[in-house]
Amino acid sequence: MARAKADVSGGAAKPASAGKGYAQGSRVLAELIGAPLGGGLIGWLLDSWLGTTPWIMLVLLALSVVVAFRNIYRISQERAE
């Protein structure tokens, strides 16, 4: 009886923690939302200040999307363990 209780309570292998996987997913989500939003906002502000609407915003938006996907690629290369 004691051996059966030990097998149920602590003898079985515990599943690996998914904490790092969730953290990586949160980082990917932050990159997908934050980079284009930040690039678009900064571009819009510069356009309105310099009077070059919409060119700086489009350039910064495109660059921020490229940087976001590069960062997501780097995150995907990390080991989740």
Side-chain angles (χ1 to χ4, degrees), residues 17-78:
S17 174
K20 179 145 185 181
Y22 285 124
Q24 286 176 332
S26 296
R27 287 174 58 198
V28 167
L29 183 62
E31 287 289 338
L32 281 175
I33 293 172
L37 190 64
L41 180 65
I42 292 170
W44 178 75
L45 290 172
L46 286 173
D47 272 336
S48 64
W49 183 51
L50 297 173
T52 58
T53 305
W55 298 110
I56 295 176
M57 183 185 71
L58 292 175
V59 169
L60 287 181
L61 192 60
L63 285 174
S64 66
V65 168
V66 169
V67 169
F69 279 111
R70 185 199 67 181
N71 289 341
I72 290 169
Y73 177 75
R74 287 183 177 180
I75 292 169
S76 71
Q77 297 302 310
E78 293 177 4

Side-chain angles (χ1 to χ4, degrees), residues 1-11:
M1 194 65 148
R3 194 168 100 199
K5 285 183 183 179
D7 286 342
V8 170
S9 64

